Amino acid sequence: MSFNKNIHEILKRRNFAIISHPDAGKTTITEKILLFGRAIQKAGTIKSRGSNKYAKSDWMEIEKQRGISITTSVMQFTYRNYLINLLDTPGHADFSEDTYRTITAVDSCLMVIDATKGVEERTKKLIKITRMRNTPIITFMNKLDREIHNSIELLDLVEKELNIACAPITWPIGCGKTFRGVYHFYKNLVYLYKTGQGHIIQEDNIIEGLENITLDKVIGSNLAKQIRDELEFVKDTTPYFNKKMFLNGTLTPVFFGTALGNFGINHMLDSLVQWSPSPMLRLTNIRTVYPFEEQFTGFVFKIQANMDPKHRDRIAFIRIVSGHYKKNMKIYHVRTGKYMVISDAVTLMVEERSHIQEAYAGDIIGLHNHGTIKIGDTFTQGENINFIGIPNFSPEIFRRITLHNPIKQKQLLKGLVQLSEEGAVQIFRPINNNDLIVGAIGVLQFEVIVARLKNEYNVLATYESVNIITVRWLECKDMHKFELFKRKNELHLALDDANNLVYIAPTIINLNMIRERYPEIKFLNNREH
Ligand code: G4P
């Protein structure tokens, strides 16, 4: 194995995604991060796409108008000599399996918490996904310009709900109308907050040292005393930052601020580039691939349909694991055993596509294809290896899809299979009837599928509700017992789009009961490609 000459290119890269509950401030933070990365000139240029902001029917139109939505893009920019790849995660109504899989393609995550609310449902789900690879998490407590939960209670909540130790790096001085800034434990600096500066990069207004008399003058001696006492207590009761624990996902450094006021983001970013890992090694079915290897390798974690319905081509997003991409290079598609010359790989920046000449381990490149590339596929320069750990997740919402005109059954199936290959929905075919069940993680996907079936496959379909709470992929070493199980539970069995057997559970109670009854069978929450 020879080593890449471009080690410095790899070492300066940081790949991360933002995880948060809707409305916690992901879009606002992304915007401020891009402002610091000089990728945009002025905050306010990215439109948020909250579920309440656009009627659902507008959605496809919006996607079309924008070419490619910002929520599917990879934003690359530099910050303090580091090159950041920020992979955006669909969040509101467009929440989908892509959100989950994107998390498996990054090396660290920024968790944004609305400090007025605490740990919310979506955050819990997303953190669970980060656990699959012990991804390091940096936490940003947002909306300090509003009345927030008690900061110590917030940390307790994160520790309890998400099972991760919290090491505060900064600490807020007041909140809401009396928010005066933050104290940085490790720099012994007080950063003062100034309102009304949210759309620009502010010069840090700093007081050196907590004991500095200037602090008393600026924030008043009562508040100064109060914060000194509080900080004594916080120091004694919270863990120190420990890089090893951060890197194995058991401790998160915590920052406080306000995205809207653009305050605290740079403190967080400075640590993110310093502490987060550069592109990491990945496992394959045969060996570990290291980022510094000379040979190009990568895996597909997302397929994006072309926005122009007349063109059936899609873009496959490849996370480069090792080596170096160069325009016109020949790469090997392991699943099909074919070589292809890549002359037009794209990078997906905010609202524009541009062709790239070179990319390194950690970067994401987009390849045009007509359905030959699938999620989970591995690309190399000839080696027969397959990256593991790119999962299909059990959908959370299910519907039975029905046709207006039953003659179109074949087109429906073809359309559904092709659309499911993009990874936004999954299809299940019960083994004892002819139903077609569509499963997704976000509700908007159902609408998108019906609209695309109509536009691209000329099939009119609707949905009916169906009594399914979840599905589980099945594994059993004891073939005899497995056959017995299958015979007895035929009514609950279906095949997924890759013909894997799944158990369809109408309720969680049913799932738990069946698990107890058949302890030799594994009921898996996700399936790897
Ligand atoms: P999301 O992408 O996580 O869904 O959140 P987004 O950034 O869209 O923020 C959700 C709402 O919270 C927005 O208000 C946004 O302005 C507000 N917000 C974000 N950060 C802060 C903060 O630090 N302080 C305060 N007070 N508010 C914050 P909105 O009214 O829904 O939308 P808009 O009209 O302001 O765009």
Side-chain angles (χ1 to χ4, degrees):
M1 181 197 309
S2 61
F3 282 92
N4 204 318
K5 288 174 258 352
N6 302 300
I7 288 179
H8 68 279
E9 283 293 338
I10 298 165
L11 285 178
K12 74 176 189 190
R13 277 166 164 72
R14 297 289 181 272
N15 281 28
F16 75 100
I18 301 181
I19 53 183
S20 63
H21 191 83
D23 286 334
K26 186 178 68 112
T27 311
T28 315
I29 287 198
T30 302
E31 197 165 72
K32 302 301 151 72
I33 290 175
L34 292 178
L35 196 61
F36 279 108
R38 317 268 171 199
I40 54 172
Q41 302 307 317
K42 194 166 171 275
T45 48
I46 295 180
K47 288 182 214 109
S48 167
R49 208 187 48 201
S51 53
N52 50 353
K53 293 188 184 106
Y54 297 117
K56 276 187 192 162
S57 52
D58 292 348
W59 153 249
M60 303 279 275
E61 210 44 53
I62 291 159
E63 286 278 43
K64 265 192 239 159
Q65 280 166 14
R66 291 223 211 150
I68 201 153
S69 111
I70 66 148
T71 56
T72 56
S73 58
V74 179
M75 292 159 261
Q76 189 178 67
F77 54 91
T78 51
Y79 181 74
R80 296 201 189 281
N81 295 328
Y82 290 89
L83 197 141
I84 296 183
N85 288 315
L86 169 53
L87 276 65
D88 204 357
T89 42
H92 274 264
D94 53 343
F95 182 60
S96 71
E97 249 193 289
D98 280 343
T99 314
Y100 286 171
R101 258 189 304 265
T102 298
I103 294 174
T104 67
V106 293
D107 298 300
S108 60
C109 285
L110 168 64
M111 170 167 74
V112 178
I113 288 185
D114 180 341
T116 67
K117 296 198 174 134
V119 177
E120 295 174 271
E121 226 29 61
R122 185 75 61 80
T123 310
K124 287 188 206 165
K125 274 189 193 169
L126 295 169
I127 284 289
K128 236 187 190 170
I129 310 294
T130 69
R131 292 275 144 76
M132 295 173 69
R133 295 186 59 243
N134 298 330
T135 309
I137 311 285
I138 291 189
T139 302
F140 188 81
M141 296 288 184
N142 192 26
K143 305 198 183 178
L144 265 289
D145 58 319
R146 294 175 50 189
E147 293 302 322
I148 63 157
H149 278 274
N150 175 295
S151 306
I152 299 213
E153 278 171 20
L154 270 175
L155 299 196
D156 278 349
L157 216 60
V158 172
E159 294 202 354
K160 257 192 230 119
E161 300 266 359
L162 306 177
N163 193 23
I164 188 165
C166 290
I169 308 300
T170 61
W171 195 259
I173 302 172
C175 70
K177 286 203 173 71
T178 59
F179 182 48
R180 306 307 300 271
V182 295
Y183 172 68
H184 197 298
F185 282 104
Y186 297 80
K187 293 184 178 165
N188 190 21
L189 297 176
V190 173
Y191 294 90
L192 294 170
Y193 170 61
K194 200 168 162 200
T195 54
Q197 308 286 306
H199 54 290
I200 52 158
I201 296 179
Q202 307 164 37
E203 281 294 311
D204 276 329
N205 194 353
I206 295 171
I207 296 176
E208 289 186 25
L210 192 59
E211 301 305 326
N212 194 327
I213 189 79
T214 316
L215 185 64
D216 299 70
K217 286 187 192 143
V218 173
I219 68 170
S221 42
N222 282 347
L223 186 56
K225 180 177 180 320
Q226 193 187 319
I227 191 69
R228 286 182 188 118
D229 291 347
E230 187 176 327
L231 285 167
E232 271 309 303
F233 176 76
V234 176
K235 260 189 208 161
D236 289 345
T237 51
T238 55
Y240 278 105
F241 175 71
N242 174 313
K243 192 163 172 192
K244 208 167 149 198
M245 287 174 72
F246 165 63
L247 291 178
N248 67 25
T250 55
L251 174 140
T252 175
V254 181
F255 296 83
F256 290 82
T258 152
L260 199 62
N262 197 10
F263 182 82
I265 309 282
N266 53 335
H267 314 147
M268 178 277 297
L269 265 183
D270 286 345
S271 296
L272 187 143
V273 291
Q274 197 189 339
W275 295 334
S276 290
S278 52
M280 304 264 277
L281 56 84
R282 297 271 160 164
L283 303 180
T284 72
N285 57 336
I286 293 173
R287 67 181 187 89
T288 302
V289 175
Y290 294 90
F292 304 115
E293 292 179 21
E294 182 86 49
Q295 295 276 309
F296 174 94
T297 64
F299 63 86
V300 178
F301 65 96
K302 179 181 169 107
I303 306 272
Q304 169 80 40
N306 196 320
M307 286 301 133
D308 182 351
K310 284 190 240 74
H311 296 276
R312 282 273 169 84
D313 78 324
R314 311 171 186 179
I315 291 180
F317 286 63
I318 298 184
R319 152 83 200 237
I320 303 179
V321 178
S322 66
H324 169 213
Y325 161 82
K326 242 181 150 167
K327 192 172 153 63
N328 291 326
M329 87 183 279
K330 205 161 101 180
I331 57 175
Y332 178 63
H333 188 192
V334 176
R335 187 173 49 78
T336 58
K338 289 191 179 133
Y339 280 89
M340 49 214 269
V341 174
I342 309 299
S343 56
D344 57 351
V346 290
T347 176
L348 298 142
M349 299 294 287
V350 189
E351 309 221 7
E352 72 177 48
R353 289 183 194 186
S354 53
H355 290 267
I356 39 174
Q357 307 294 323
E358 285 194 292
Y360 299 88
D363 289 345
I364 313 296
I365 56 172
L367 299 190
H368 291 279
N369 79 102
H370 296 275
T372 40
I373 304 178
K374 293 185 176 163
I375 289 172
D377 282 359
T378 296
F379 284 90
T380 67
Q381 284 186 274
E383 192 179 1
N384 271 308
I385 48 174
N386 277 296
F387 284 101
I388 56 174
I390 309 121
N392 260 7
F393 296 88
S394 171
E396 292 162 20
I397 317 160
F398 298 85
R399 304 259 195 281
R400 182 185 296 116
I401 190 161
T402 56
L403 279 170
H404 287 210
N405 178 357
I407 287 174
K408 298 259 181 173
Q409 181 75 11
K410 228 167 141 189
Q411 282 99 316
L412 172 71
L413 197 60
K414 183 173 162 222
L416 280 178
V417 167
Q418 290 190 353
L419 294 173
S420 73
E421 278 169 9
E422 288 169 23
V425 292
Q426 294 181 50
I427 303 161
F428 301 96
R429 285 162 293 141
I431 60 172
N432 71 340
N433 63 39
N434 289 328
D435 281 356
L436 276 174
I437 308 291
V438 179
I441 280 174
V443 78
L444 183 68
Q445 305 306 327
F446 290 105
E447 222 168 299
V448 171
I449 290 296
V450 161
R452 290 189 54 194
L453 281 170
K454 183 167 163 244
N455 293 337
E456 296 169 35
Y457 299 89
N458 200 18
V459 172
L460 286 179
T462 45
Y463 295 107
E464 287 171 3
S465 61
V466 57
N467 190 23
I468 301 174
I469 192 86
T470 188
V471 299
R472 290 289 182 268
W473 283 274
L474 300 168
E475 248 179 50
C476 182
K477 289 204 173 95
D478 185 330
M479 276 311 158
H480 176 68
K481 283 189 176 154
F482 200 27
E483 283 309 316
L484 219 66
F485 162 81
K486 286 199 253 180
R487 234 177 293 144
K488 288 213 160 154
N489 293 283
E490 217 174 71
L491 278 176
H492 290 283
L493 296 180
L495 296 173
D496 72 1
D497 34 288
N499 281 333
N500 297 295
L501 198 65
V502 295
Y503 181 80
I504 297 183
T507 61
I508 291 295
I509 297 174
N510 168 283
L511 181 65
N512 290 341
M513 257 164 43
I514 208 90
R515 265 191 173 137
E516 264 176 44
R517 205 172 298 156
Y518 297 95
E520 61 286 346
I521 294 178
K522 279 193 193 151
F523 293 82
L524 304 167
N525 199 7
N526 55 61
R527 167 180 76 81
E528 291 210 351
H529 284 271

